[in-house]
Amino acid sequence: MPRIRISDSTFSLVLLFSFVPFMVKSVSYIEAGSYIPFLIMDLIGLPLIYGFYHGKLWVIGWLKIWAILMIIFGILRLGLAGLIKFGPASVEAQIVEQVNLGFVFLCLGYILAGFYIIRNRKRVLVIID
Amino acid sequence: MNQVKNTNRLRFARIVIFMLSMIFLPLLTQGQSFDITSFQRQFIAQFAGDRPIEGTINVLKQRSTSVERKIAENFLCSTLNSIGLPSNRHEYKMPNSFFLLDLFFSPMQGTNVYTIIPATEPTEEYVVIGAHYDSEPGSPGAGDNASGVALTLAVAKQISELTVRKKKFVIVFFDQEEDDELGSKAFAKKLKDSGMNIHSVHITDIIGWDANQDLGVELQSISSRLAPLYQQAADDLNIPLKLSQGGSSDNKSFLNAGFETVGVFSDEMTPHIHKPSDQCETVDFGYLASSTALIFNVLKALAQQ
């Protein structure tokens, strides 16, 4: 069975950066009694892990989907942040508190990471078996 | 020889003074009852930003952000301790009110503050009394709901002084009522999960406004078991009761969780609700004391059942 490895450490770091916040959020929501973010992470993460053992094309495809989702996620979050800060949206005080400079940088990070993954995903994948 | 005699006399005099003080001091202090109005006035002045919290420079102009709610939480704990009750924190995380927000934001987090007043006889039956301590952004929340918190604190102090309590009492202050009653939802879930035998839940909110000076109180969704107790206490204090259905505050969380619950509110809505004008000076302390007496009398009757 062919196994696939990422040959570029920067790419690995970017991929890790893209996953870790979601994993933290999933666990946090399990504590809060909601399994929806965890299920969504499973739906995205498991096919990717499966792909690393079953085919380069599969991985390339899933990385593209993941990257697009991240870009959409980043843009939506930025849009929501703008609505909350400057628009008529009335939400809980604790949500308003979350919308700060760090939140905006994280959104930009997701978008940049998404574009980086799309651009480099084919180059860095190596079949090792 | 004389010196020894003098020393012995001095010792004897000291013992006599000590014994006399042990006998008479309690008699002297017995008449000094807990001054409810003074306590509530001082508490609300600090809790609703009229003046800084004692011993700090913190002025709570609102209790809405995480930092402000933390200050309020600490102040509540120290107030509970100052009236001789231990304080406990119930930290919780809850999903956002709309599930799609869960994908974009962190879960809601908060802290309820509570204490348990033990029974004087063996029992596992609990009566819960609670009020929310947060406020709407931009509002000092003197009426909504420093009034309910002050009422609950005064009732807690009086219950703890009862010589007979056949039930345990849970005194709880909820976080984030203004954010979809998250604190009370989490606490109701905690009570349900723990399997505690809850006799009834009594929630107070916005209970400092009485423009028509009739001392009237609204009871929301009261059960047939609690209604006679409230009616008797109201008759004794000459308080008119207005009954209504539904749940408009933290009582909703307990009703939905299946607990026997009553919401106790002012029967008139304050015009200052959720406004910057909801300040200490708008609270009718005579009315607050009257409502405090009503709830204390009900809980005292429950304590003796």
Side-chain angles (χ1 to χ4, degrees):
Chain A
M1 189 186 296
R3 277 176 54 209
I4 293 151
R5 190 170 71 83
I6 296 169
S7 64
D8 187 316
S9 57
T10 311
F11 189 90
S12 301
L13 273 175
V14 171
L15 198 59
L16 193 68
F17 158 80
S18 73
F19 269 103
V20 167
F22 292 99
M23 287 159 79
V24 171
K25 190 194 277 275
S26 302
V27 173
S28 188
Y29 268 103
I30 288 172
E31 281 180 274
S34 170
Y35 292 87
I36 294 170
F38 182 74
L39 289 175
I40 290 172
M41 276 306 291
D42 281 355
L43 280 175
I44 294 164
L46 290 178
L48 189 65
I49 292 166
Y50 171 85
F52 273 100
Y53 291 91
H54 288 88
K56 193 175 173 179
L57 282 178
W58 181 285
V59 177
I60 287 171
W62 265 104
L63 279 178
K64 187 176 181 180
I65 290 170
W66 175 239
I68 290 168
L69 283 175
M70 271 216 308
I71 293 166
I72 293 170
F73 180 77
I75 292 168
L76 280 177
R77 252 168 70 110
L78 273 179
L80 275 173
L83 269 180
I84 287 165
K85 279 288 178 193
F86 308 109
S90 168
V91 290
E92 287 93 344
Q94 209 168 324
I95 289 182
V96 178
E97 275 177 54
Q98 288 179 48
V99 180
N100 51 28
L101 210 57
F103 183 93
V104 172
F105 279 129
L106 202 60
C107 295
L108 292 174
Y110 286 136
I111 295 167
L112 291 175
F115 282 117
Y116 178 85
I117 290 170
I118 286 176
R119 176 176 279 194
N120 296 288
R121 70 191 197 288
K122 289 177 187 165
R123 178 179 60 84
V124 298
L125 294 178
V126 178
I127 298 171
I128 51 175
D129 288 336
Chain B
M1 188 69 173
N2 275 345
Q3 209 175 2
V4 174
K5 269 187 182 172
N6 282 341
T7 315
N8 283 342
R9 276 180 196 153
L10 200 65
R11 272 188 196 155
F12 180 71
R14 277 181 185 161
I15 291 167
V16 169
I17 290 167
F18 175 73
M19 287 174 74
L20 285 173
S21 66
M22 291 298 285
I23 294 164
F24 289 109
L25 206 62
L27 292 176
L28 285 171
T29 53
Q30 210 168 35
Q32 294 172 0
S33 60
F34 174 56
D35 183 352
I36 291 170
T37 300
S38 166
F39 169 79
Q40 291 180 328
R41 195 181 288 274
Q42 280 191 41
F43 176 79
I44 294 178
Q46 294 173 79
F47 207 56
D50 209 38
R51 59 184 158 88
I53 289 170
E54 207 174 315
T56 73
I57 53 161
N58 298 318
V59 181
L60 278 173
K61 286 292 177 196
Q62 57 173 24
R63 301 177 301 278
S64 177
T65 66
S66 306
V67 173
E68 291 154 355
R69 288 187 288 114
K70 191 76 193 165
I71 294 168
E73 173 200 322
N74 290 336
F75 180 48
L76 270 176
C77 288
S78 64
T79 306
L80 275 173
N81 298 340
S82 74
I83 59 172
L85 296 168
S87 55
N88 304 291
R89 288 174 166 90
H90 165 233
E91 291 176 357
Y92 63 85
K93 278 185 184 176
M94 294 284 279
N96 287 289
S97 50
F98 182 50
F99 81 97
L100 276 178
L101 288 174
D102 289 354
L103 300 177
F104 298 99
F105 298 99
S106 299
M108 306 296 276
Q109 299 186 50
T111 308
N112 298 318
V113 173
Y114 71 100
T115 188
I116 296 177
I117 302 173
T120 55
E121 295 173 17
T123 178
E124 282 310 317
E125 200 171 18
Y126 293 81
V127 173
V128 180
I129 170 162
H132 76 85
Y133 72 83
D134 63 317
S135 78
E136 189 73 11
S139 173
D144 182 15
N145 185 29
S147 59
V149 174
L151 181 152
T152 307
L153 282 166
V155 167
K157 165 80 173 161
Q158 290 174 295
I159 292 170
S160 69
E161 287 169 349
L162 290 175
T163 49
V164 177
R165 287 187 303 271
K166 293 182 179 173
K167 292 181 180 63
K168 295 179 182 177
F169 287 83
V170 180
I171 311 297
V172 55
F173 303 101
F174 306 111
D175 200 353
Q176 295 182 301
E177 189 267 350
E178 305 294 356
D179 288 344
D180 206 26
E181 299 101 22
L182 288 173
S184 55
K185 276 180 188 164
F187 201 78
K189 185 176 182 301
K190 173 186 158 76
L191 291 183
K192 199 155 193 175
D193 291 349
S194 67
M196 286 162 74
N197 179 10
I198 306 295
H199 174 278
S200 52
V201 181
H202 306 249
I203 303 295
T204 58
D205 197 358
I206 318 175
I207 191 124
W209 182 258
D210 187 30
N212 64 7
Q213 297 290 299
D214 70 342
L215 305 178
V217 164
E218 179 183 346
L219 301 177
Q220 215 172 58
S221 298
I222 191 165
S223 67
S224 55
R225 188 166 61 146
L226 291 176
L229 283 172
Y230 272 88
Q231 193 59 62
Q232 181 62 54
D235 290 346
D236 292 346
L237 295 163
N238 208 16
I239 293 174
L241 295 181
K242 179 178 149 189
L243 305 184
S244 63
Q245 289 304 312
S248 59
S249 175
D250 291 310
N251 57 332
K252 195 162 61 183
S253 308
F254 291 93
L255 282 169
N256 291 343
F259 292 108
E260 190 170 335
T261 308
V262 58
V264 185
F265 314 99
S266 166
D267 67 349
E268 297 166 68
M269 183 50 78
T270 165
H272 304 287
I273 186 168
H274 297 173
K275 292 181 182 166
S277 59
D278 189 8
Q279 293 176 3
C280 188
E281 67 208 30
T282 68
V283 175
D284 182 333
F285 285 94
Y287 173 67
L288 183 57
S290 153
S291 307
T292 305
L294 171 76
I295 294 187
F296 172 64
N297 285 0
V298 169
L299 296 180
K300 188 177 169 187
L302 281 175
Q304 288 163 353
Q305 279 182 1

